Short mmCIF file of all heavy atoms in Angstrom, two decimals:
data_model
loop_
_atom_site.label_atom_id
_atom_site.label_comp_id
_atom_site.label_asym_id
_atom_site.label_seq_id
_atom_site.Cartn_x
_atom_site.Cartn_y
_atom_site.Cartn_z
N ILE A 189 109.46 73.73 102.01
CA ILE A 189 108.64 74.86 101.56
C ILE A 189 109.34 76.16 101.91
O ILE A 189 109.86 76.32 103.02
CB ILE A 189 107.25 74.86 102.25
CG1 ILE A 189 106.48 73.59 101.92
CG2 ILE A 189 106.45 76.10 101.86
CD1 ILE A 189 105.98 73.50 100.49
N VAL A 190 109.35 77.10 100.98
CA VAL A 190 109.80 78.46 101.26
C VAL A 190 108.69 79.41 100.80
O VAL A 190 108.25 79.35 99.65
CB VAL A 190 111.09 78.83 100.51
CG1 VAL A 190 111.52 80.26 100.83
CG2 VAL A 190 112.21 77.85 100.86
N THR A 191 108.20 80.25 101.71
CA THR A 191 107.27 81.30 101.33
C THR A 191 108.00 82.64 101.41
O THR A 191 108.81 82.85 102.31
CB THR A 191 106.02 81.33 102.23
OG1 THR A 191 106.40 81.50 103.60
CG2 THR A 191 105.22 80.04 102.08
N ILE A 192 107.68 83.52 100.48
CA ILE A 192 108.37 84.81 100.41
C ILE A 192 107.34 85.91 100.15
O ILE A 192 106.61 85.87 99.16
CB ILE A 192 109.40 84.84 99.27
CG1 ILE A 192 110.32 83.62 99.32
CG2 ILE A 192 110.21 86.14 99.32
CD1 ILE A 192 111.18 83.45 98.07
N GLY A 193 107.30 86.88 101.04
CA GLY A 193 106.45 88.05 100.85
C GLY A 193 107.29 89.31 100.95
O GLY A 193 107.55 89.80 102.05
N VAL A 194 107.73 89.82 99.83
CA VAL A 194 108.66 90.95 99.84
C VAL A 194 108.54 91.72 98.53
O VAL A 194 108.03 91.20 97.54
CB VAL A 194 110.11 90.46 100.05
CG1 VAL A 194 110.68 89.82 98.79
CG2 VAL A 194 111.03 91.55 100.57
N GLY A 195 109.02 92.95 98.53
CA GLY A 195 109.04 93.76 97.32
C GLY A 195 108.66 95.21 97.55
O GLY A 195 109.20 96.12 96.92
N GLY A 196 107.71 95.44 98.47
CA GLY A 196 107.22 96.79 98.69
C GLY A 196 108.29 97.77 99.14
O GLY A 196 108.34 98.92 98.68
N ASN A 197 109.16 97.33 100.05
CA ASN A 197 110.19 98.23 100.57
C ASN A 197 111.28 98.53 99.56
O ASN A 197 112.07 99.45 99.75
CB ASN A 197 110.82 97.64 101.84
CG ASN A 197 109.85 97.61 102.99
OD1 ASN A 197 109.14 98.57 103.24
ND2 ASN A 197 109.79 96.49 103.69
N SER A 198 111.33 97.74 98.49
CA SER A 198 112.35 97.99 97.48
C SER A 198 111.94 99.09 96.52
O SER A 198 112.78 99.63 95.79
CB SER A 198 112.65 96.70 96.70
OG SER A 198 113.26 95.75 97.56
N LEU A 199 110.65 99.46 96.49
CA LEU A 199 110.25 100.59 95.64
C LEU A 199 110.82 101.93 96.13
O LEU A 199 111.38 102.67 95.30
CB LEU A 199 108.73 100.64 95.53
CG LEU A 199 108.08 99.62 94.59
CD1 LEU A 199 106.57 99.69 94.70
CD2 LEU A 199 108.51 99.86 93.14
N PRO A 200 110.62 102.40 97.36
CA PRO A 200 109.90 101.82 98.48
C PRO A 200 108.46 102.34 98.54
O PRO A 200 108.21 103.55 98.44
CB PRO A 200 110.67 102.32 99.69
CG PRO A 200 111.16 103.67 99.27
CD PRO A 200 111.38 103.61 97.77
N PHE A 201 107.48 101.42 98.72
CA PHE A 201 106.08 101.81 98.74
C PHE A 201 105.77 102.70 99.94
O PHE A 201 105.03 103.69 99.81
CB PHE A 201 105.19 100.57 98.76
CG PHE A 201 103.72 100.88 98.60
CD1 PHE A 201 103.20 101.20 97.35
CD2 PHE A 201 102.87 100.85 99.70
CE1 PHE A 201 101.85 101.50 97.20
CE2 PHE A 201 101.51 101.15 99.55
CZ PHE A 201 101.00 101.47 98.30
N GLY A 202 106.31 102.37 101.11
CA GLY A 202 106.06 103.18 102.29
C GLY A 202 106.56 104.60 102.13
O GLY A 202 105.89 105.57 102.50
N GLY A 203 107.76 104.75 101.58
CA GLY A 203 108.31 106.07 101.35
C GLY A 203 107.49 106.86 100.34
O GLY A 203 107.29 108.07 100.48
N MET A 204 106.98 106.15 99.32
CA MET A 204 106.14 106.80 98.33
C MET A 204 104.83 107.26 98.95
O MET A 204 104.31 108.34 98.65
CB MET A 204 105.88 105.85 97.16
CG MET A 204 107.13 105.49 96.38
SD MET A 204 106.82 104.29 95.06
CE MET A 204 105.88 105.30 93.91
N LEU A 205 104.29 106.45 99.85
CA LEU A 205 103.05 106.80 100.53
C LEU A 205 103.24 108.08 101.36
O LEU A 205 102.39 108.98 101.32
CB LEU A 205 102.62 105.64 101.43
CG LEU A 205 101.16 105.57 101.84
CD1 LEU A 205 100.30 105.18 100.64
CD2 LEU A 205 100.99 104.55 102.96
N LEU A 206 104.34 108.16 102.07
CA LEU A 206 104.61 109.36 102.86
C LEU A 206 104.82 110.58 101.97
O LEU A 206 104.41 111.69 102.31
CB LEU A 206 105.84 109.13 103.76
CG LEU A 206 105.64 108.13 104.90
CD1 LEU A 206 106.95 107.88 105.64
CD2 LEU A 206 104.58 108.63 105.88
N LYS A 207 105.46 110.39 100.81
CA LYS A 207 105.64 111.49 99.86
C LYS A 207 104.28 111.96 99.35
O LYS A 207 104.04 113.16 99.18
CB LYS A 207 106.54 111.05 98.71
CG LYS A 207 106.68 112.08 97.59
CD LYS A 207 107.22 113.42 98.07
CE LYS A 207 108.68 113.34 98.46
NZ LYS A 207 109.23 114.69 98.77
N CYS A 208 103.37 111.01 99.09
CA CYS A 208 102.03 111.37 98.63
C CYS A 208 101.27 112.13 99.71
O CYS A 208 100.49 113.06 99.40
CB CYS A 208 101.26 110.13 98.21
SG CYS A 208 101.87 109.35 96.68
N LEU A 209 101.46 111.75 100.97
CA LEU A 209 100.86 112.50 102.07
C LEU A 209 101.37 113.94 102.07
O LEU A 209 100.61 114.90 102.19
CB LEU A 209 101.21 111.84 103.41
CG LEU A 209 100.30 110.75 103.95
CD1 LEU A 209 100.96 110.10 105.16
CD2 LEU A 209 98.94 111.31 104.34
N GLU A 210 102.68 114.06 101.95
CA GLU A 210 103.33 115.38 101.95
C GLU A 210 102.85 116.22 100.78
O GLU A 210 102.50 117.40 100.94
CB GLU A 210 104.84 115.19 101.88
CG GLU A 210 105.65 116.45 101.74
CD GLU A 210 107.11 116.14 101.45
OE1 GLU A 210 107.72 115.43 102.26
OE2 GLU A 210 107.62 116.59 100.40
N GLN A 211 102.81 115.63 99.59
CA GLN A 211 102.38 116.36 98.40
C GLN A 211 100.91 116.76 98.51
O GLN A 211 100.51 117.86 98.12
CB GLN A 211 102.60 115.52 97.15
CG GLN A 211 104.05 115.19 96.84
CD GLN A 211 104.85 116.39 96.35
OE1 GLN A 211 105.51 117.06 97.14
NE2 GLN A 211 104.78 116.66 95.07
N GLY A 212 100.09 115.86 99.02
CA GLY A 212 98.67 116.16 99.17
C GLY A 212 98.40 117.28 100.13
O GLY A 212 97.45 118.06 99.95
N THR A 213 99.23 117.40 101.17
CA THR A 213 99.05 118.45 102.16
C THR A 213 99.21 119.84 101.54
O THR A 213 98.54 120.79 101.95
CB THR A 213 100.07 118.27 103.31
OG1 THR A 213 99.85 116.99 103.91
CG2 THR A 213 99.91 119.34 104.37
N VAL A 214 100.08 119.94 100.55
CA VAL A 214 100.33 121.25 99.92
C VAL A 214 99.68 121.35 98.54
O VAL A 214 100.02 122.24 97.75
CB VAL A 214 101.85 121.52 99.82
CG1 VAL A 214 102.47 121.61 101.20
CG2 VAL A 214 102.55 120.43 99.00
N GLY A 215 98.76 120.43 98.24
CA GLY A 215 98.01 120.51 97.00
C GLY A 215 98.77 120.11 95.76
O GLY A 215 98.44 120.55 94.65
N LYS A 216 99.78 119.25 95.93
CA LYS A 216 100.56 118.79 94.78
C LYS A 216 100.31 117.31 94.51
O LYS A 216 99.73 116.61 95.33
CB LYS A 216 102.06 119.03 95.02
CG LYS A 216 102.45 120.50 95.08
CD LYS A 216 103.96 120.65 95.23
CE LYS A 216 104.37 122.11 95.24
NZ LYS A 216 105.84 122.27 95.38
N SER A 217 100.78 116.86 93.36
CA SER A 217 100.55 115.48 92.92
C SER A 217 101.80 114.64 93.08
O SER A 217 102.85 114.97 92.54
CB SER A 217 100.10 115.48 91.46
OG SER A 217 100.18 114.18 90.91
N CYS A 218 101.68 113.52 93.78
CA CYS A 218 102.83 112.63 93.86
C CYS A 218 102.94 111.80 92.58
O CYS A 218 104.02 111.31 92.26
CB CYS A 218 102.79 111.75 95.11
SG CYS A 218 101.57 110.45 95.12
N ARG A 219 101.85 111.65 91.86
CA ARG A 219 101.94 110.99 90.56
C ARG A 219 102.87 111.77 89.65
O ARG A 219 103.74 111.19 88.98
CB ARG A 219 100.55 110.90 89.92
CG ARG A 219 100.57 110.33 88.51
CD ARG A 219 99.18 110.22 87.91
NE ARG A 219 99.21 109.58 86.61
CZ ARG A 219 98.14 109.23 85.93
NH1 ARG A 219 96.93 109.45 86.45
NH2 ARG A 219 98.25 108.65 84.76
N GLU A 220 102.72 113.07 89.64
CA GLU A 220 103.60 113.91 88.83
C GLU A 220 105.03 113.82 89.34
O GLU A 220 105.98 113.76 88.57
CB GLU A 220 103.11 115.36 88.86
CG GLU A 220 104.01 116.36 88.15
CD GLU A 220 104.16 116.09 86.66
OE1 GLU A 220 103.25 115.48 86.05
OE2 GLU A 220 105.21 116.45 86.11
N TYR A 221 105.18 113.80 90.66
CA TYR A 221 106.51 113.73 91.27
C TYR A 221 107.25 112.47 90.82
O TYR A 221 108.44 112.52 90.49
CB TYR A 221 106.37 113.73 92.80
CG TYR A 221 107.70 113.66 93.54
CD1 TYR A 221 108.39 114.80 93.90
CD2 TYR A 221 108.24 112.41 93.89
CE1 TYR A 221 109.59 114.73 94.58
CE2 TYR A 221 109.44 112.33 94.57
CZ TYR A 221 110.11 113.49 94.92
OH TYR A 221 111.32 113.41 95.58
N TYR A 222 106.56 111.32 90.78
CA TYR A 222 107.22 110.07 90.43
C TYR A 222 107.19 109.76 88.94
O TYR A 222 107.84 108.82 88.49
CB TYR A 222 106.61 108.91 91.22
CG TYR A 222 107.02 108.92 92.67
CD1 TYR A 222 106.10 109.22 93.68
CD2 TYR A 222 108.33 108.65 93.05
CE1 TYR A 222 106.47 109.24 95.02
CE2 TYR A 222 108.71 108.67 94.38
CZ TYR A 222 107.79 108.97 95.36
OH TYR A 222 108.17 109.00 96.68
N THR A 223 106.43 110.55 88.18
CA THR A 223 106.45 110.41 86.72
C THR A 223 107.57 111.24 86.12
O THR A 223 108.26 110.80 85.19
CB THR A 223 105.10 110.82 86.12
OG1 THR A 223 104.06 110.01 86.69
CG2 THR A 223 105.09 110.62 84.60
N ASN A 224 107.75 112.42 86.65
CA ASN A 224 108.84 113.32 86.22
C ASN A 224 109.62 113.74 87.45
O ASN A 224 109.50 114.89 87.91
CB ASN A 224 108.27 114.54 85.49
CG ASN A 224 107.49 114.15 84.25
OD1 ASN A 224 108.06 113.71 83.27
ND2 ASN A 224 106.16 114.30 84.31
N PRO A 225 110.39 112.81 88.02
CA PRO A 225 111.01 113.06 89.33
C PRO A 225 112.17 114.04 89.28
O PRO A 225 112.77 114.27 88.21
CB PRO A 225 111.50 111.67 89.74
CG PRO A 225 111.79 110.99 88.44
CD PRO A 225 110.73 111.48 87.50
N PRO A 226 112.51 114.61 90.43
CA PRO A 226 113.70 115.47 90.50
C PRO A 226 114.96 114.63 90.33
O PRO A 226 114.92 113.39 90.42
CB PRO A 226 113.61 116.05 91.90
CG PRO A 226 112.82 115.05 92.68
CD PRO A 226 111.82 114.50 91.72
N GLU A 227 116.05 115.28 90.07
CA GLU A 227 117.33 114.58 89.87
C GLU A 227 117.65 113.74 91.11
O GLU A 227 117.51 114.19 92.24
CB GLU A 227 118.44 115.60 89.62
CG GLU A 227 119.77 114.96 89.28
CD GLU A 227 120.85 115.98 88.95
OE1 GLU A 227 120.51 117.19 88.88
OE2 GLU A 227 122.00 115.57 88.75
N GLY A 228 118.07 112.52 90.85
CA GLY A 228 118.42 111.62 91.94
C GLY A 228 117.29 110.70 92.37
O GLY A 228 117.50 109.78 93.17
N GLU A 229 116.08 110.91 91.85
CA GLU A 229 114.93 110.07 92.17
C GLU A 229 114.50 109.29 90.93
O GLU A 229 114.40 109.85 89.85
CB GLU A 229 113.77 110.94 92.65
CG GLU A 229 112.48 110.19 92.94
CD GLU A 229 112.55 109.29 94.15
OE1 GLU A 229 112.53 109.82 95.27
OE2 GLU A 229 112.65 108.05 93.96
N GLU A 230 114.28 107.98 91.08
CA GLU A 230 113.82 107.15 89.96
C GLU A 230 112.36 107.45 89.64
O GLU A 230 111.56 107.71 90.55
CB GLU A 230 113.93 105.67 90.31
CG GLU A 230 115.32 105.13 90.53
CD GLU A 230 115.25 103.70 91.03
OE1 GLU A 230 114.64 103.46 92.08
OE2 GLU A 230 115.81 102.82 90.35
N ASN A 231 112.00 107.35 88.37
CA ASN A 231 110.58 107.40 88.06
C ASN A 231 109.98 106.02 88.33
O ASN A 231 110.70 105.04 88.57
CB ASN A 231 110.33 107.86 86.61
CG ASN A 231 110.90 106.92 85.57
OD1 ASN A 231 110.88 105.70 85.73
ND2 ASN A 231 111.42 107.47 84.48
N ILE A 232 108.66 105.92 88.30
CA ILE A 232 108.01 104.68 88.70
C ILE A 232 108.36 103.53 87.77
O ILE A 232 108.52 102.38 88.21
CB ILE A 232 106.48 104.87 88.82
CG1 ILE A 232 105.82 103.60 89.36
CG2 ILE A 232 105.87 105.31 87.50
CD1 ILE A 232 106.36 103.14 90.72
N GLN A 233 108.53 103.79 86.47
CA GLN A 233 108.89 102.71 85.54
C GLN A 233 110.25 102.13 85.87
O GLN A 233 110.45 100.91 85.85
CB GLN A 233 108.86 103.22 84.10
CG GLN A 233 107.48 103.56 83.56
CD GLN A 233 106.97 104.92 84.01
OE1 GLN A 233 107.74 105.74 84.54
NE2 GLN A 233 105.69 105.18 83.80
N ASP A 234 111.20 103.00 86.20
CA ASP A 234 112.54 102.53 86.57
C ASP A 234 112.52 101.77 87.89
O ASP A 234 113.25 100.79 88.07
CB ASP A 234 113.51 103.70 86.65
CG ASP A 234 113.86 104.28 85.28
OD1 ASP A 234 113.62 103.58 84.27
OD2 ASP A 234 114.37 105.42 85.22
N LYS A 235 111.69 102.23 88.82
CA LYS A 235 111.57 101.52 90.10
C LYS A 235 111.08 100.09 89.88
O LYS A 235 111.64 99.13 90.42
CB LYS A 235 110.60 102.26 91.03
CG LYS A 235 111.14 103.55 91.65
CD LYS A 235 110.07 104.20 92.50
CE LYS A 235 110.55 105.50 93.13
NZ LYS A 235 111.57 105.26 94.16
N LEU A 236 110.03 99.95 89.08
CA LEU A 236 109.47 98.62 88.85
C LEU A 236 110.42 97.72 88.06
O LEU A 236 110.52 96.52 88.33
CB LEU A 236 108.13 98.75 88.12
CG LEU A 236 106.98 99.31 88.97
CD1 LEU A 236 105.81 99.72 88.09
CD2 LEU A 236 106.53 98.29 90.01
N ALA A 237 111.15 98.30 87.12
CA ALA A 237 112.13 97.51 86.36
C ALA A 237 113.25 97.03 87.29
O ALA A 237 113.70 95.88 87.19
CB ALA A 237 112.70 98.35 85.22
N ARG A 238 113.69 97.88 88.19
CA ARG A 238 114.74 97.49 89.14
C ARG A 238 114.23 96.40 90.07
O ARG A 238 114.93 95.42 90.36
CB ARG A 238 115.20 98.71 89.94
CG ARG A 238 116.18 98.37 91.06
CD ARG A 238 116.68 99.60 91.79
NE ARG A 238 115.62 100.49 92.21
CZ ARG A 238 114.81 100.27 93.25
NH1 ARG A 238 114.92 99.14 93.96
NH2 ARG A 238 113.87 101.15 93.58
N VAL A 239 113.00 96.54 90.56
CA VAL A 239 112.41 95.53 91.43
C VAL A 239 112.35 94.18 90.72
O VAL A 239 112.65 93.14 91.31
CB VAL A 239 111.00 95.97 91.90
CG1 VAL A 239 110.22 94.78 92.47
CG2 VAL A 239 111.13 97.06 92.95
N GLN A 240 111.99 94.19 89.44
CA GLN A 240 111.95 92.92 88.69
C GLN A 240 113.33 92.28 88.65
O GLN A 240 113.47 91.07 88.89
CB GLN A 240 111.44 93.15 87.27
CG GLN A 240 111.47 91.87 86.43
CD GLN A 240 110.78 92.02 85.10
OE1 GLN A 240 109.56 92.01 85.02
NE2 GLN A 240 111.57 92.16 84.04
N ASP A 241 114.36 93.05 88.35
CA ASP A 241 115.72 92.51 88.30
C ASP A 241 116.13 91.95 89.65
O ASP A 241 116.72 90.86 89.75
CB ASP A 241 116.71 93.60 87.87
CG ASP A 241 116.59 93.94 86.39
OD1 ASP A 241 115.91 93.18 85.65
OD2 ASP A 241 117.19 94.95 85.97
N GLU A 242 115.82 92.68 90.73
CA GLU A 242 116.19 92.23 92.07
C GLU A 242 115.43 90.95 92.44
O GLU A 242 115.99 90.05 93.09
CB GLU A 242 115.91 93.34 93.09
CG GLU A 242 116.81 94.57 92.93
CD GLU A 242 116.42 95.70 93.85
OE1 GLU A 242 115.36 95.59 94.53
OE2 GLU A 242 117.14 96.71 93.88
N TYR A 243 114.18 90.87 92.04
CA TYR A 243 113.38 89.69 92.37
C TYR A 243 113.88 88.46 91.64
O TYR A 243 113.90 87.35 92.20
CB TYR A 243 111.90 89.95 92.04
CG TYR A 243 110.94 89.30 93.00
CD1 TYR A 243 110.44 89.99 94.10
CD2 TYR A 243 110.53 87.98 92.82
CE1 TYR A 243 109.55 89.40 94.99
CE2 TYR A 243 109.65 87.38 93.70
CZ TYR A 243 109.16 88.09 94.77
OH TYR A 243 108.30 87.49 95.65
#
Side-chain angles (χ1 to χ4, degrees):
I189 299 289
V190 180
T191 58
I192 310 169
V194 75
N197 292 315
S198 294
L199 283 174
F201 187 77
M204 295 176 70
L205 201 71
L206 291 174
K207 174 58 71 173
C208 290
L209 272 171
E210 175 190 302
Q211 296 289 95
T213 301
V214 296
K216 293 184 178 180
S217 166
C218 72
R219 175 179 185 172
E220 175 62 26
Y221 180 90
Y222 287 110
T223 302
N224 300 290
E227 185 177 354
E229 176 69 74
E230 295 173 301
N231 63 37
I232 185 57
Q233 291 80 13
D234 288 342
K235 286 178 180 291
L236 288 166
R238 173 177 51 75
V239 164
Q240 176 172 283
D241 287 348
E242 292 174 354
Y243 215 94

